[in-house]
mmCIF file with all atom_site columns, all heavy atoms in Angstrom:
data_model
loop_
_atom_site.group_PDB
_atom_site.id
_atom_site.type_symbol
_atom_site.label_atom_id
_atom_site.label_alt_id
_atom_site.label_comp_id
_atom_site.label_asym_id
_atom_site.label_entity_id
_atom_site.label_seq_id
_atom_site.pdbx_PDB_ins_code
_atom_site.Cartn_x
_atom_site.Cartn_y
_atom_site.Cartn_z
_atom_site.occupancy
_atom_site.B_iso_or_equiv
_atom_site.pdbx_formal_charge
_atom_site.auth_seq_id
_atom_site.auth_comp_id
_atom_site.auth_asym_id
_atom_site.auth_atom_id
_atom_site.pdbx_PDB_model_num
ATOM 1   N N   . PRO A 1 30  ? -0.643  -8.258  0.010  1.00 0.00 ? 466 PRO A N   1
ATOM 2   C CA  . PRO A 1 30  ? -1.301  -6.989  0.337  1.00 0.00 ? 466 PRO A CA  1
ATOM 3   C C   . PRO A 1 30  ? -0.334  -6.009  1.012  1.00 0.00 ? 466 PRO A C   1
ATOM 4   O O   . PRO A 1 30  ? 0.464   -6.415  1.854  1.00 0.00 ? 466 PRO A O   1
ATOM 5   C CB  . PRO A 1 30  ? -2.391  -7.411  1.328  1.00 0.00 ? 466 PRO A CB  1
ATOM 6   C CG  . PRO A 1 30  ? -1.879  -8.663  1.970  1.00 0.00 ? 466 PRO A CG  1
ATOM 7   C CD  . PRO A 1 30  ? -1.034  -9.347  0.923  1.00 0.00 ? 466 PRO A CD  1
ATOM 8   N N   . ALA A 1 31  ? -0.433  -4.733  0.606  1.00 0.00 ? 467 ALA A N   1
ATOM 9   C CA  . ALA A 1 31  ? 0.301   -3.670  1.298  1.00 0.00 ? 467 ALA A CA  1
ATOM 10  C C   . ALA A 1 31  ? -0.750  -2.733  1.868  1.00 0.00 ? 467 ALA A C   1
ATOM 11  O O   . ALA A 1 31  ? -1.429  -2.012  1.121  1.00 0.00 ? 467 ALA A O   1
ATOM 12  C CB  . ALA A 1 31  ? 1.214   -2.933  0.334  1.00 0.00 ? 467 ALA A CB  1
ATOM 13  N N   . TYR A 1 32  ? -0.944  -2.824  3.183  1.00 0.00 ? 468 TYR A N   1
ATOM 14  C CA  . TYR A 1 32  ? -1.954  -2.007  3.858  1.00 0.00 ? 468 TYR A CA  1
ATOM 15  C C   . TYR A 1 32  ? -1.267  -0.836  4.549  1.00 0.00 ? 468 TYR A C   1
ATOM 16  O O   . TYR A 1 32  ? -0.324  -1.028  5.318  1.00 0.00 ? 468 TYR A O   1
ATOM 17  C CB  . TYR A 1 32  ? -2.705  -2.846  4.898  1.00 0.00 ? 468 TYR A CB  1
ATOM 18  C CG  . TYR A 1 32  ? -3.545  -3.966  4.303  1.00 0.00 ? 468 TYR A CG  1
ATOM 19  C CD1 . TYR A 1 32  ? -3.227  -5.299  4.534  1.00 0.00 ? 468 TYR A CD1 1
ATOM 20  C CD2 . TYR A 1 32  ? -4.660  -3.681  3.518  1.00 0.00 ? 468 TYR A CD2 1
ATOM 21  C CE1 . TYR A 1 32  ? -4.004  -6.334  3.996  1.00 0.00 ? 468 TYR A CE1 1
ATOM 22  C CE2 . TYR A 1 32  ? -5.438  -4.706  2.977  1.00 0.00 ? 468 TYR A CE2 1
ATOM 23  C CZ  . TYR A 1 32  ? -5.109  -6.022  3.224  1.00 0.00 ? 468 TYR A CZ  1
ATOM 24  O OH  . TYR A 1 32  ? -5.871  -7.039  2.690  1.00 0.00 ? 468 TYR A OH  1
ATOM 25  N N   . ASN A 1 33  ? -1.783  0.375   4.288  1.00 0.00 ? 469 ASN A N   1
ATOM 26  C CA  . ASN A 1 33  ? -1.218  1.570   4.948  1.00 0.00 ? 469 ASN A CA  1
ATOM 27  C C   . ASN A 1 33  ? -1.738  1.697   6.367  1.00 0.00 ? 469 ASN A C   1
ATOM 28  O O   . ASN A 1 33  ? -2.883  1.346   6.658  1.00 0.00 ? 469 ASN A O   1
ATOM 29  C CB  . ASN A 1 33  ? -1.624  2.834   4.185  1.00 0.00 ? 469 ASN A CB  1
ATOM 30  C CG  . ASN A 1 33  ? -0.907  2.958   2.862  1.00 0.00 ? 469 ASN A CG  1
ATOM 31  O OD1 . ASN A 1 33  ? -1.142  2.183   1.940  1.00 0.00 ? 469 ASN A OD1 1
ATOM 32  N ND2 . ASN A 1 33  ? -0.023  3.926   2.765  1.00 0.00 ? 469 ASN A ND2 1
ATOM 33  N N   . PHE A 1 34  ? -0.878  2.214   7.220  1.00 0.00 ? 470 PHE A N   1
ATOM 34  C CA  . PHE A 1 34  ? -1.345  2.518   8.588  1.00 0.00 ? 470 PHE A CA  1
ATOM 35  C C   . PHE A 1 34  ? -0.645  3.762   9.101  1.00 0.00 ? 470 PHE A C   1
ATOM 36  O O   . PHE A 1 34  ? 0.399   4.163   8.600  1.00 0.00 ? 470 PHE A O   1
ATOM 37  C CB  . PHE A 1 34  ? -1.097  1.329   9.540  1.00 0.00 ? 470 PHE A CB  1
ATOM 38  C CG  . PHE A 1 34  ? 0.341   1.170   9.972  1.00 0.00 ? 470 PHE A CG  1
ATOM 39  C CD1 . PHE A 1 34  ? 0.791   1.711   11.173 1.00 0.00 ? 470 PHE A CD1 1
ATOM 40  C CD2 . PHE A 1 34  ? 1.246   0.495   9.170  1.00 0.00 ? 470 PHE A CD2 1
ATOM 41  C CE1 . PHE A 1 34  ? 2.115   1.568   11.577 1.00 0.00 ? 470 PHE A CE1 1
ATOM 42  C CE2 . PHE A 1 34  ? 2.571   0.352   9.566  1.00 0.00 ? 470 PHE A CE2 1
ATOM 43  C CZ  . PHE A 1 34  ? 3.005   0.884   10.764 1.00 0.00 ? 470 PHE A CZ  1
ATOM 44  N N   . GLN A 1 39  ? -4.973  0.661   13.469 1.00 0.00 ? 475 GLN A N   1
ATOM 45  C CA  . GLN A 1 39  ? -4.806  0.181   12.085 1.00 0.00 ? 475 GLN A CA  1
ATOM 46  C C   . GLN A 1 39  ? -3.732  -0.906  12.032 1.00 0.00 ? 475 GLN A C   1
ATOM 47  O O   . GLN A 1 39  ? -3.905  -1.935  11.373 1.00 0.00 ? 475 GLN A O   1
ATOM 48  C CB  . GLN A 1 39  ? -4.397  1.343   11.168 1.00 0.00 ? 475 GLN A CB  1
ATOM 49  C CG  . GLN A 1 39  ? -5.513  2.329   10.891 1.00 0.00 ? 475 GLN A CG  1
ATOM 50  C CD  . GLN A 1 39  ? -5.004  3.531   10.120 1.00 0.00 ? 475 GLN A CD  1
ATOM 51  O OE1 . GLN A 1 39  ? -3.989  4.132   10.476 1.00 0.00 ? 475 GLN A OE1 1
ATOM 52  N NE2 . GLN A 1 39  ? -5.697  3.886   9.056  1.00 0.00 ? 475 GLN A NE2 1
ATOM 53  N N   . ILE A 1 43  ? -4.276  -4.830  10.885 1.00 0.00 ? 479 ILE A N   1
ATOM 54  C CA  . ILE A 1 43  ? -3.554  -5.417  9.742  1.00 0.00 ? 479 ILE A CA  1
ATOM 55  C C   . ILE A 1 43  ? -2.898  -6.732  10.172 1.00 0.00 ? 479 ILE A C   1
ATOM 56  O O   . ILE A 1 43  ? -3.007  -7.755  9.491  1.00 0.00 ? 479 ILE A O   1
ATOM 57  C CB  . ILE A 1 43  ? -2.504  -4.425  9.185  1.00 0.00 ? 479 ILE A CB  1
ATOM 58  C CG1 . ILE A 1 43  ? -3.174  -3.171  8.638  1.00 0.00 ? 479 ILE A CG1 1
ATOM 59  C CG2 . ILE A 1 43  ? -1.656  -5.098  8.110  1.00 0.00 ? 479 ILE A CG2 1
ATOM 60  C CD1 . ILE A 1 43  ? -2.227  -2.001  8.380  1.00 0.00 ? 479 ILE A CD1 1
ATOM 61  N N   . CYS A 1 47  ? -4.159  -10.413 8.956  1.00 0.00 ? 483 CYS A N   1
ATOM 62  C CA  . CYS A 1 47  ? -3.250  -11.237 8.129  1.00 0.00 ? 483 CYS A CA  1
ATOM 63  C C   . CYS A 1 47  ? -2.858  -12.519 8.851  1.00 0.00 ? 483 CYS A C   1
ATOM 64  O O   . CYS A 1 47  ? -2.701  -13.562 8.205  1.00 0.00 ? 483 CYS A O   1
ATOM 65  C CB  . CYS A 1 47  ? -2.035  -10.419 7.699  1.00 0.00 ? 483 CYS A CB  1
ATOM 66  S SG  . CYS A 1 47  ? -2.523  -9.170  6.480  1.00 0.00 ? 483 CYS A SG  1
ATOM 67  N N   . SER A 1 52  ? -1.725  -14.818 5.814  1.00 0.00 ? 488 SER A N   1
ATOM 68  C CA  . SER A 1 52  ? -1.252  -14.130 4.608  1.00 0.00 ? 488 SER A CA  1
ATOM 69  C C   . SER A 1 52  ? 0.062   -13.404 4.880  1.00 0.00 ? 488 SER A C   1
ATOM 70  O O   . SER A 1 52  ? 0.217   -12.802 5.956  1.00 0.00 ? 488 SER A O   1
ATOM 71  C CB  . SER A 1 52  ? -2.303  -13.097 4.182  1.00 0.00 ? 488 SER A CB  1
ATOM 72  O OG  . SER A 1 52  ? -1.791  -12.226 3.207  1.00 0.00 ? 488 SER A OG  1
ATOM 73  N N   . PRO A 1 53  ? 0.989   -13.414 3.919  1.00 0.00 ? 489 PRO A N   1
ATOM 74  C CA  . PRO A 1 53  ? 2.143   -12.512 4.053  1.00 0.00 ? 489 PRO A CA  1
ATOM 75  C C   . PRO A 1 53  ? 1.622   -11.079 4.047  1.00 0.00 ? 489 PRO A C   1
ATOM 76  O O   . PRO A 1 53  ? 0.530   -10.824 3.510  1.00 0.00 ? 489 PRO A O   1
ATOM 77  C CB  . PRO A 1 53  ? 2.970   -12.793 2.790  1.00 0.00 ? 489 PRO A CB  1
ATOM 78  C CG  . PRO A 1 53  ? 2.015   -13.402 1.819  1.00 0.00 ? 489 PRO A CG  1
ATOM 79  C CD  . PRO A 1 53  ? 0.961   -14.096 2.627  1.00 0.00 ? 489 PRO A CD  1
ATOM 80  N N   . VAL A 1 54  ? 2.387   -10.145 4.612  1.00 0.00 ? 490 VAL A N   1
ATOM 81  C CA  . VAL A 1 54  ? 1.871   -8.773  4.669  1.00 0.00 ? 490 VAL A CA  1
ATOM 82  C C   . VAL A 1 54  ? 2.990   -7.737  4.569  1.00 0.00 ? 490 VAL A C   1
ATOM 83  O O   . VAL A 1 54  ? 4.084   -7.945  5.075  1.00 0.00 ? 490 VAL A O   1
ATOM 84  C CB  . VAL A 1 54  ? 1.033   -8.540  5.959  1.00 0.00 ? 490 VAL A CB  1
ATOM 85  C CG1 . VAL A 1 54  ? 1.850   -8.680  7.234  1.00 0.00 ? 490 VAL A CG1 1
ATOM 86  C CG2 . VAL A 1 54  ? 0.341   -7.173  5.923  1.00 0.00 ? 490 VAL A CG2 1
ATOM 87  N N   . ILE A 1 55  ? 2.659   -6.653  3.886  1.00 0.00 ? 491 ILE A N   1
ATOM 88  C CA  . ILE A 1 55  ? 3.547   -5.495  3.831  1.00 0.00 ? 491 ILE A CA  1
ATOM 89  C C   . ILE A 1 55  ? 2.866   -4.374  4.624  1.00 0.00 ? 491 ILE A C   1
ATOM 90  O O   . ILE A 1 55  ? 1.771   -3.929  4.269  1.00 0.00 ? 491 ILE A O   1
ATOM 91  C CB  . ILE A 1 55  ? 3.808   -5.064  2.370  1.00 0.00 ? 491 ILE A CB  1
ATOM 92  C CG1 . ILE A 1 55  ? 4.535   -6.210  1.634  1.00 0.00 ? 491 ILE A CG1 1
ATOM 93  C CG2 . ILE A 1 55  ? 4.635   -3.776  2.322  1.00 0.00 ? 491 ILE A CG2 1
ATOM 94  C CD1 . ILE A 1 55  ? 4.646   -6.021  0.135  1.00 0.00 ? 491 ILE A CD1 1
ATOM 95  N N   . LEU A 1 56  ? 3.516   -3.979  5.721  1.00 0.00 ? 492 LEU A N   1
ATOM 96  C CA  . LEU A 1 56  ? 3.020   -2.874  6.548  1.00 0.00 ? 492 LEU A CA  1
ATOM 97  C C   . LEU A 1 56  ? 3.545   -1.608  5.889  1.00 0.00 ? 492 LEU A C   1
ATOM 98  O O   . LEU A 1 56  ? 4.756   -1.423  5.767  1.00 0.00 ? 492 LEU A O   1
ATOM 99  C CB  . LEU A 1 56  ? 3.564   -2.989  7.972  1.00 0.00 ? 492 LEU A CB  1
ATOM 100 C CG  . LEU A 1 56  ? 3.299   -4.329  8.674  1.00 0.00 ? 492 LEU A CG  1
ATOM 101 C CD1 . LEU A 1 56  ? 4.136   -4.439  9.944  1.00 0.00 ? 492 LEU A CD1 1
ATOM 102 C CD2 . LEU A 1 56  ? 1.810   -4.472  8.985  1.00 0.00 ? 492 LEU A CD2 1
ATOM 103 N N   . GLN A 1 57  ? 2.635   -0.750  5.457  1.00 0.00 ? 493 GLN A N   1
ATOM 104 C CA  . GLN A 1 57  ? 3.036   0.342   4.580  1.00 0.00 ? 493 GLN A CA  1
ATOM 105 C C   . GLN A 1 57  ? 2.798   1.702   5.239  1.00 0.00 ? 493 GLN A C   1
ATOM 106 O O   . GLN A 1 57  ? 1.724   1.966   5.776  1.00 0.00 ? 493 GLN A O   1
ATOM 107 C CB  . GLN A 1 57  ? 2.223   0.215   3.295  1.00 0.00 ? 493 GLN A CB  1
ATOM 108 C CG  . GLN A 1 57  ? 2.598   1.161   2.203  1.00 0.00 ? 493 GLN A CG  1
ATOM 109 C CD  . GLN A 1 57  ? 2.211   0.641   0.840  1.00 0.00 ? 493 GLN A CD  1
ATOM 110 O OE1 . GLN A 1 57  ? 2.985   -0.044  0.194  1.00 0.00 ? 493 GLN A OE1 1
ATOM 111 N NE2 . GLN A 1 57  ? 1.012   0.951   0.399  1.00 0.00 ? 493 GLN A NE2 1
ATOM 112 N N   . VAL A 1 58  ? 3.821   2.564   5.162  1.00 0.00 ? 494 VAL A N   1
ATOM 113 C CA  . VAL A 1 58  ? 3.779   3.860   5.848  1.00 0.00 ? 494 VAL A CA  1
ATOM 114 C C   . VAL A 1 58  ? 4.241   4.950   4.875  1.00 0.00 ? 494 VAL A C   1
ATOM 115 O O   . VAL A 1 58  ? 5.349   4.866   4.333  1.00 0.00 ? 494 VAL A O   1
ATOM 116 C CB  . VAL A 1 58  ? 4.755   3.840   7.059  1.00 0.00 ? 494 VAL A CB  1
ATOM 117 C CG1 . VAL A 1 58  ? 4.687   5.144   7.822  1.00 0.00 ? 494 VAL A CG1 1
ATOM 118 C CG2 . VAL A 1 58  ? 4.463   2.672   7.970  1.00 0.00 ? 494 VAL A CG2 1
ATOM 119 N N   . ILE A 1 270 ? -0.320  -5.233  -4.043 1.00 0.00 ? 706 ILE A N   1
ATOM 120 C CA  . ILE A 1 270 ? -1.475  -4.361  -4.268 1.00 0.00 ? 706 ILE A CA  1
ATOM 121 C C   . ILE A 1 270 ? -1.634  -3.460  -3.043 1.00 0.00 ? 706 ILE A C   1
ATOM 122 O O   . ILE A 1 270 ? -1.702  -3.949  -1.912 1.00 0.00 ? 706 ILE A O   1
ATOM 123 C CB  . ILE A 1 270 ? -2.750  -5.201  -4.555 1.00 0.00 ? 706 ILE A CB  1
ATOM 124 C CG1 . ILE A 1 270 ? -2.605  -5.890  -5.932 1.00 0.00 ? 706 ILE A CG1 1
ATOM 125 C CG2 . ILE A 1 270 ? -3.996  -4.344  -4.496 1.00 0.00 ? 706 ILE A CG2 1
ATOM 126 C CD1 . ILE A 1 270 ? -3.848  -6.594  -6.446 1.00 0.00 ? 706 ILE A CD1 1
ATOM 127 N N   . ASN A 1 271 ? -1.679  -2.150  -3.296 1.00 0.00 ? 707 ASN A N   1
ATOM 128 C CA  . ASN A 1 271 ? -1.728  -1.158  -2.203 1.00 0.00 ? 707 ASN A CA  1
ATOM 129 C C   . ASN A 1 271 ? -3.158  -0.771  -1.847 1.00 0.00 ? 707 ASN A C   1
ATOM 130 O O   . ASN A 1 271 ? -3.925  -0.370  -2.736 1.00 0.00 ? 707 ASN A O   1
ATOM 131 C CB  . ASN A 1 271 ? -1.027  0.128   -2.644 1.00 0.00 ? 707 ASN A CB  1
ATOM 132 C CG  . ASN A 1 271 ? 0.473   -0.014  -2.700 1.00 0.00 ? 707 ASN A CG  1
ATOM 133 O OD1 . ASN A 1 271 ? 1.021   -1.093  -2.534 1.00 0.00 ? 707 ASN A OD1 1
ATOM 134 N ND2 . ASN A 1 271 ? 1.145   1.103   -2.919 1.00 0.00 ? 707 ASN A ND2 1
ATOM 135 N N   . ILE A 1 272 ? -3.464  -0.849  -0.567 1.00 0.00 ? 708 ILE A N   1
ATOM 136 C CA  . ILE A 1 272 ? -4.822  -0.510  -0.114 1.00 0.00 ? 708 ILE A CA  1
ATOM 137 C C   . ILE A 1 272 ? -4.738  0.391   1.114  1.00 0.00 ? 708 ILE A C   1
ATOM 138 O O   . ILE A 1 272 ? -4.201  -0.003  2.149  1.00 0.00 ? 708 ILE A O   1
ATOM 139 C CB  . ILE A 1 272 ? -5.620  -1.791  0.205  1.00 0.00 ? 708 ILE A CB  1
ATOM 140 C CG1 . ILE A 1 272 ? -5.761  -2.637  -1.069 1.00 0.00 ? 708 ILE A CG1 1
ATOM 141 C CG2 . ILE A 1 272 ? -6.998  -1.452  0.786  1.00 0.00 ? 708 ILE A CG2 1
ATOM 142 C CD1 . ILE A 1 272 ? -6.165  -4.068  -0.843 1.00 0.00 ? 708 ILE A CD1 1
ATOM 143 N N   . ASP A 1 273 ? -5.241  1.594   0.975  1.00 0.00 ? 709 ASP A N   1
ATOM 144 C CA  . ASP A 1 273 ? -5.283  2.543   2.081  1.00 0.00 ? 709 ASP A CA  1
ATOM 145 C C   . ASP A 1 273 ? -6.714  3.058   2.275  1.00 0.00 ? 709 ASP A C   1
ATOM 146 O O   . ASP A 1 273 ? -7.316  2.910   3.345  1.00 0.00 ? 709 ASP A O   1
ATOM 147 C CB  . ASP A 1 273 ? -4.320  3.713   1.798  1.00 0.00 ? 709 ASP A CB  1
ATOM 148 C CG  . ASP A 1 273 ? -4.185  4.660   2.975  1.00 0.00 ? 709 ASP A CG  1
ATOM 149 O OD1 . ASP A 1 273 ? -4.872  4.454   3.992  1.00 0.00 ? 709 ASP A OD1 1
ATOM 150 O OD2 . ASP A 1 273 ? -3.397  5.620   2.892  1.00 0.00 ? 709 ASP A OD2 1
ATOM 151 N N   . LEU A 1 308 ? -12.071 -3.284  10.403 1.00 0.00 ? 744 LEU A N   1
ATOM 152 C CA  . LEU A 1 308 ? -10.893 -3.334  9.537  1.00 0.00 ? 744 LEU A CA  1
ATOM 153 C C   . LEU A 1 308 ? -10.317 -4.753  9.472  1.00 0.00 ? 744 LEU A C   1
ATOM 154 O O   . LEU A 1 308 ? -9.891  -5.203  8.406  1.00 0.00 ? 744 LEU A O   1
ATOM 155 C CB  . LEU A 1 308 ? -9.844  -2.322  10.044 1.00 0.00 ? 744 LEU A CB  1
ATOM 156 C CG  . LEU A 1 308 ? -8.605  -2.112  9.175  1.00 0.00 ? 744 LEU A CG  1
ATOM 157 C CD1 . LEU A 1 308 ? -8.960  -1.799  7.723  1.00 0.00 ? 744 LEU A CD1 1
ATOM 158 C CD2 . LEU A 1 308 ? -7.746  -0.974  9.745  1.00 0.00 ? 744 LEU A CD2 1
ATOM 159 N N   . LEU A 1 311 ? -12.433 -6.589  7.015  1.00 0.00 ? 747 LEU A N   1
ATOM 160 C CA  . LEU A 1 311 ? -12.163 -6.127  5.648  1.00 0.00 ? 747 LEU A CA  1
ATOM 161 C C   . LEU A 1 311 ? -10.870 -6.764  5.111  1.00 0.00 ? 747 LEU A C   1
ATOM 162 O O   . LEU A 1 311 ? -10.811 -7.244  3.971  1.00 0.00 ? 747 LEU A O   1
ATOM 163 C CB  . LEU A 1 311 ? -12.047 -4.596  5.636  1.00 0.00 ? 747 LEU A CB  1
ATOM 164 C CG  . LEU A 1 311 ? -11.697 -3.988  4.284  1.00 0.00 ? 747 LEU A CG  1
ATOM 165 C CD1 . LEU A 1 311 ? -12.796 -3.029  3.837  1.00 0.00 ? 747 LEU A CD1 1
ATOM 166 C CD2 . LEU A 1 311 ? -10.391 -3.231  4.297  1.00 0.00 ? 747 LEU A CD2 1
ATOM 167 N N   . ILE A 1 312 ? -9.855  -6.790  5.950  1.00 0.00 ? 748 ILE A N   1
ATOM 168 C CA  . ILE A 1 312 ? -8.552  -7.336  5.545  1.00 0.00 ? 748 ILE A CA  1
ATOM 169 C C   . ILE A 1 312 ? -8.652  -8.832  5.258  1.00 0.00 ? 748 ILE A C   1
ATOM 170 O O   . ILE A 1 312 ? -8.132  -9.320  4.246  1.00 0.00 ? 748 ILE A O   1
ATOM 171 C CB  . ILE A 1 312 ? -7.501  -7.001  6.636  1.00 0.00 ? 748 ILE A CB  1
ATOM 172 C CG1 . ILE A 1 312 ? -7.141  -5.514  6.507  1.00 0.00 ? 748 ILE A CG1 1
ATOM 173 C CG2 . ILE A 1 312 ? -6.268  -7.897  6.553  1.00 0.00 ? 748 ILE A CG2 1
ATOM 174 C CD1 . ILE A 1 312 ? -6.347  -4.934  7.637  1.00 0.00 ? 748 ILE A CD1 1
ATOM 175 N N   . LYS A 1 313 ? -9.359  -9.549  6.105  1.00 0.00 ? 749 LYS A N   1
ATOM 176 C CA  . LYS A 1 313 ? -9.510  -10.990 5.885  1.00 0.00 ? 749 LYS A CA  1
ATOM 177 C C   . LYS A 1 313 ? -10.243 -11.250 4.562  1.00 0.00 ? 749 LYS A C   1
ATOM 178 O O   . LYS A 1 313 ? -9.874  -12.136 3.795  1.00 0.00 ? 749 LYS A O   1
ATOM 179 C CB  . LYS A 1 313 ? -10.257 -11.631 7.065  1.00 0.00 ? 749 LYS A CB  1
ATOM 180 C CG  . LYS A 1 313 ? -9.329  -11.796 8.267  1.00 0.00 ? 749 LYS A CG  1
ATOM 181 C CD  . LYS A 1 313 ? -9.998  -12.037 9.585  1.00 0.00 ? 749 LYS A CD  1
ATOM 182 C CE  . LYS A 1 313 ? -11.003 -13.103 9.695  1.00 0.00 ? 749 LYS A CE  1
ATOM 183 N NZ  . LYS A 1 313 ? -11.438 -13.289 11.112 1.00 0.00 ? 749 LYS A NZ  1
ATOM 184 N N   . GLU A 1 314 ? -11.265 -10.455 4.338  1.00 0.00 ? 750 GLU A N   1
ATOM 185 C CA  . GLU A 1 314 ? -12.062 -10.618 3.116  1.00 0.00 ? 750 GLU A CA  1
ATOM 186 C C   . GLU A 1 314 ? -11.218 -10.307 1.873  1.00 0.00 ? 750 GLU A C   1
ATOM 187 O O   . GLU A 1 314 ? -11.244 -11.029 0.880  1.00 0.00 ? 750 GLU A O   1
ATOM 188 C CB  . GLU A 1 314 ? -13.280 -9.683  3.219  1.00 0.00 ? 750 GLU A CB  1
ATOM 189 C CG  . GLU A 1 314 ? -14.456 -10.055 2.365  1.00 0.00 ? 750 GLU A CG  1
ATOM 190 C CD  . GLU A 1 314 ? -14.357 -9.505  0.959  1.00 0.00 ? 750 GLU A CD  1
ATOM 191 O OE1 . GLU A 1 314 ? -13.822 -8.385  0.790  1.00 0.00 ? 750 GLU A OE1 1
ATOM 192 O OE2 . GLU A 1 314 ? -14.817 -10.186 0.027  1.00 0.00 ? 750 GLU A OE2 1
ATOM 193 N N   . LYS A 1 315 ? -10.419 -9.232  1.953  1.00 0.00 ? 751 LYS A N   1
ATOM 194 C CA  . LYS A 1 315 ? -9.548  -8.859  0.806  1.00 0.00 ? 751 LYS A CA  1
ATOM 195 C C   . LYS A 1 315 ? -8.522  -9.954  0.533  1.00 0.00 ? 751 LYS A C   1
ATOM 196 O O   . LYS A 1 315 ? -8.288  -10.315 -0.623 1.00 0.00 ? 751 LYS A O   1
ATOM 197 C CB  . LYS A 1 315 ? -8.765  -7.577  1.130  1.00 0.00 ? 751 LYS A CB  1
ATOM 198 C CG  . LYS A 1 315 ? -9.619  -6.377  1.240  1.00 0.00 ? 751 LYS A CG  1
ATOM 199 C CD  . LYS A 1 315 ? -9.266  -5.403  0.152  1.00 0.00 ? 751 LYS A CD  1
ATOM 200 C CE  . LYS A 1 315 ? -10.194 -4.227  0.205  1.00 0.00 ? 751 LYS A CE  1
ATOM 201 N NZ  . LYS A 1 315 ? -10.658 -3.811  -1.105 1.00 0.00 ? 751 LYS A NZ  1
ATOM 202 N N   . ASN A 1 316 ? -7.874  -10.432 1.595  1.00 0.00 ? 752 ASN A N   1
ATOM 203 C CA  . ASN A 1 316 ? -6.833  -11.449 1.404  1.00 0.00 ? 752 ASN A CA  1
ATOM 204 C C   . ASN A 1 316 ? -7.423  -12.697 0.750  1.00 0.00 ? 752 ASN A C   1
ATOM 205 O O   . ASN A 1 316 ? -6.816  -13.308 -0.116 1.00 0.00 ? 752 ASN A O   1
ATOM 206 C CB  . ASN A 1 316 ? -6.182  -11.817 2.743  1.00 0.00 ? 752 ASN A CB  1
ATOM 207 C CG  . ASN A 1 316 ? -5.376  -10.664 3.330  1.00 0.00 ? 752 ASN A CG  1
ATOM 208 O OD1 . ASN A 1 316 ? -5.124  -9.662  2.657  1.00 0.00 ? 752 ASN A OD1 1
ATOM 209 N ND2 . ASN A 1 316 ? -4.970  -10.792 4.582  1.00 0.00 ? 752 ASN A ND2 1
ATOM 210 N N   . LEU A 1 320 ? -6.926  -10.453 -3.149 1.00 0.00 ? 756 LEU A N   1
ATOM 211 C CA  . LEU A 1 320 ? -5.481  -10.666 -3.367 1.00 0.00 ? 756 LEU A CA  1
ATOM 212 C C   . LEU A 1 320 ? -5.153  -12.128 -3.657 1.00 0.00 ? 756 LEU A C   1
ATOM 213 O O   . LEU A 1 320 ? -4.200  -12.436 -4.363 1.00 0.00 ? 756 LEU A O   1
ATOM 214 C CB  . LEU A 1 320 ? -4.695  -10.269 -2.107 1.00 0.00 ? 756 LEU A CB  1
ATOM 215 C CG  . LEU A 1 320 ? -4.507  -8.809  -1.668 1.00 0.00 ? 756 LEU A CG  1
ATOM 216 C CD1 . LEU A 1 320 ? -3.567  -8.118  -2.590 1.00 0.00 ? 756 LEU A CD1 1
ATOM 217 C CD2 . LEU A 1 320 ? -5.773  -8.050  -1.490 1.00 0.00 ? 756 LEU A CD2 1
ATOM 218 N N   . SER A 1 322 ? -4.108  -13.997 -1.280 1.00 0.00 ? 758 SER A N   1
ATOM 219 C CA  . SER A 1 322 ? -2.919  -14.254 -0.428 1.00 0.00 ? 758 SER A CA  1
ATOM 220 C C   . SER A 1 322 ? -3.246  -15.069 0.822  1.00 0.00 ? 758 SER A C   1
ATOM 221 O O   . SER A 1 322 ? -2.341  -15.508 1.516  1.00 0.00 ? 758 SER A O   1
ATOM 222 C CB  . SER A 1 322 ? -2.305  -12.909 -0.001 1.00 0.00 ? 758 SER A CB  1
ATOM 223 O OG  . SER A 1 322 ? -3.241  -12.179 0.799  1.00 0.00 ? 758 SER A OG  1
#
Side-chain angles (χ1 to χ4, degrees):
Y468 294 114
N469 288 68
F470 76 95
Q475 288 173 312
I479 297 166
C483 289
S488 168
V490 63
I491 297 170
L492 305 168
Q493 186 156 270
V494 182
I706 291 188
N707 287 7
I708 298 164
D709 187 357
L744 187 52
L747 177 120
I748 285 168
K749 283 163 51 174
E750 202 274 325
K751 293 244 176 223
N752 293 349
L756 288 288
S758 63

